[in-house]
Amino acid sequence: MKISVSFLSCKQVLEAIRRINLTDADFIHVDFVDGKFVEGRVIPFRKLKKISKLSTKRLDVHLMTNQLKHYIPKFASLNCEYITFHVEVGKDIEKYIELIHSYGIKAGLALNPETDLEKIKPYLSMVDLILVMSVVPGYGGQSFIPETIDKLKKIKSYLKDDKDQVVLEVDGGINDQTVKELKKIPVDFIVSGSYITSSDNFQERIDSLRS
Ligand code: DX5
Ligand code: ZN
């Protein structure tokens, strides 16, 4: 199981990045909230760009915006492994998946807690990753929504015969307790923010998620 660290709930973001660099986390999870698509903590692109330059980890970008034509090219100029956007944007989804792929970057599709998971079905053969939100997006530090587990099991069954190996990622409220059910499914990729960054020892928290 790969671990992507979110810094959305950190006050001292640059300091958090330096400390994430010292861990064996697989990716840094970059949340981009525009304040319109969802409300939440808005960190402008120029600041995220500065942050990403400090990171020694590749980026797992999570776009919470409708302005994809504008932001995909901007984020694609950074060191991205994945760029993920939300199925709730509703239109031109194939076009945006292709746009991300045109930069040689893997494309992900995210799903909010209240969204019917049938919405992602048509795109499973096109994407590299499905990001299931286990909190309402916008802020770090929220509690894991337990209904996410059933949703993940269903998605896993859709992916059973998948030869393209779509990666299943979960985001929000993940700690040493909530991770237990995720390991049983199992998911491939977890995002964890406040559980890791609220500690003096990031590596210890990462180890506890892995063990
Ligand atoms: C919520 C973000 C998450 C969040 C994760 O909008 O997408 O990435 O910051 O942080 P924790 O682990 O604190 O829920
Ligand atoms: Zn996120």
Side-chain angles (χ1 to χ4, degrees):
M1 205 175 59
K2 295 215 188 308
I3 296 183
S4 195
V5 184
S6 160
F7 53 84
L8 194 61
S9 58
C10 296
K11 288 201 183 77
Q12 304 291 333
V13 173
L14 298 182
E15 177 56 21
I17 304 301
R18 286 192 191 94
R19 291 174 63 193
I20 296 167
N21 285 345
L22 299 174
T23 71
D24 68 0
D26 298 281
F27 295 100
I28 183 151
H29 183 81
V30 177
D31 287 302
F32 177 67
V33 175
D34 70 356
K36 298 188 188 92
F37 181 71
V38 289
E39 282 179 20
R41 183 175 183 202
V42 178
I43 306 179
F45 175 76
R46 60 174 190 284
K47 181 140 191 222
L48 292 174
K49 187 174 176 182
K50 193 171 155 195
I51 289 166
S52 73
K53 294 228 162 100
L54 250 189
S55 173
T56 56
K57 313 275 181 194
R58 298 207 80 201
L59 312 185
D60 160 38
V61 171
H62 176 191
L63 298 179
M64 288 160 269
T65 178
N66 274 313
Q67 308 293 105
L68 294 166
K69 211 169 113 184
H70 179 71
Y71 282 109
I72 289 171
K74 279 179 171 286
F75 280 94
S77 71
L78 310 181
N79 183 24
C80 299
E81 178 85 9
Y82 293 97
I83 296 180
T84 296
F85 64 95
H86 275 257
V87 71
E88 293 84 5
V89 299
K91 57 176 182 151
D92 294 334
I93 290 175
E94 295 186 32
K95 202 177 86 188
Y96 295 129
I97 294 170
E98 281 167 17
L99 181 59
I100 295 168
H101 282 160
S102 75
Y103 294 101
I105 296 170
K106 293 173 193 157
L109 202 54
L111 183 72
N112 279 337
E114 74 280 6
T115 304
D116 183 352
L117 64 90
E118 296 297 315
K119 289 254 160 43
I120 58 165
K121 257 190 159 170
Y123 309 106
L124 289 177
S125 62
M126 287 171 234
V127 292
D128 305 284
L129 176 145
I130 297 291
L131 171 59
V132 176
M133 291 305 303
S134 38
V135 297
V136 175
Y139 295 99
Q142 304 179 70
S143 301
F144 186 90
I145 299 171
E147 287 76 16
T148 314
I149 299 295
D150 272 349
K151 209 174 193 178
L152 289 166
K153 285 181 185 160
K154 284 199 186 115
I155 296 177
K156 196 77 190 177
S157 74
Y158 296 165
L159 297 177
K160 201 164 46 88
D161 303 320
D162 163 59
K163 289 178 192 66
D164 302 323
Q165 306 217 320
V166 177
V167 166
L168 186 56
E169 180 177 34
V170 189
D171 183 8
I174 299 178
N175 55 37
D176 59 342
Q177 297 307 306
T178 52
V179 77
K180 289 179 186 164
E181 290 299 315
L182 300 175
K183 281 179 184 158
K184 287 185 201 158
I185 292 176
V187 303
D188 307 290
F189 212 134
I190 55 169
V191 177
S192 184
S194 51
Y195 173 67
I196 295 171
T197 59
S198 64
S199 169
D200 288 339
N201 189 336
F202 287 11
Q203 186 62 54
E204 205 173 83
R205 290 281 164 103
I206 289 171
D207 291 342
S208 75
L209 291 170
R210 287 212 168 99
S211 66

